[in-house]
Amino acid sequence: LLEKNITNEKLQDYFDFTVSNTNFKTLVRHLALFDSPLDSQAWISQDNMTFDRVSDLKSIEQMEGIFHNQDHRQILSKISNQEPAITLNLLEKEIEKINLLYLNDNSLGEESLLVVIHYLEQRLNNAHTLKFIIFAKMNNLTEEEIYKILEK
């Protein structure tokens, strides 16, 4: 519904980029934390990546044959065979990096909507870091362990 209302080509590209990253993060998080299939309602279908292609995946390692985006493949190589807490932290950091690179490469000037989006994404990144710290504290990680993971 939202996608049909976007007329600006750069905004459409950004929307597609964001949906792709959101789906990727959703699937990685689910596979890192749960032993059940991903619910179809958690997936945003795109032309090149429908839910049918990922519905049977049971591990992060299986994602390598499905995701052909170079950035996503590099992230998968970094997070494979990691503990869930480390996987989730690395995932957030790497996705944030590719978001920043995308926004830097596609700047439209000072009055661009991308400037606002970039600001909001920075605030979202702060929220993800806080969420990780709370998750780590709930799992009895020490402050030193948390700092070590956040530095990676």
Side-chain angles (χ1 to χ4, degrees), residues 9 35 37 63 67 71 80 87 97 99 109 129 138 146:
E9 184 178 326
D35 291 329
M63 290 176 65
F67 283 84
D71 292 323
S80 291
T87 295
K97 282 181 193 175
N99 282 338
T129 301
M138 289 173 46
I146 293 171

Side-chain angles (χ1 to χ4, degrees), residues 17 22 37 40 43 45-46 60 68 72 74 76 87 91 106-108 112 114 119 121 123 125 130 133-134 140 147 151:
F17 174 80
T22 300
S40 63
W43 190 261
S45 287
Q46 282 184 300
I60 291 172
H68 301 292
H72 292 163
Q74 288 176 353
L76 288 172
T87 295
L91 173 67
N106 292 289
S107 176
L108 297 175
S112 167
L114 292 180
Y119 173 80
E121 287 191 342
R123 300 299 68 81
N125 187 47
L130 182 58
I133 292 169
I134 292 169
N140 301 320
Y147 282 124
E151 287 176 354

Side-chain angles (χ1 to χ4, degrees), residues 15-26:
F15 178 80
D16 293 341
F17 174 80
T18 302
V19 167
S20 177
N21 285 340
T22 300
N23 282 338
F24 181 78
K25 288 185 345 183
T26 299

Side-chain angles (χ1 to χ4, degrees), residues 41-54:
Q41 293 179 338
W43 190 261
I44 305 168
S45 287
Q46 282 184 300
D47 293 337
N48 61 344
M49 187 62 74
T50 61
F51 180 72
D52 295 339
R53 292 187 63 195
V54 299

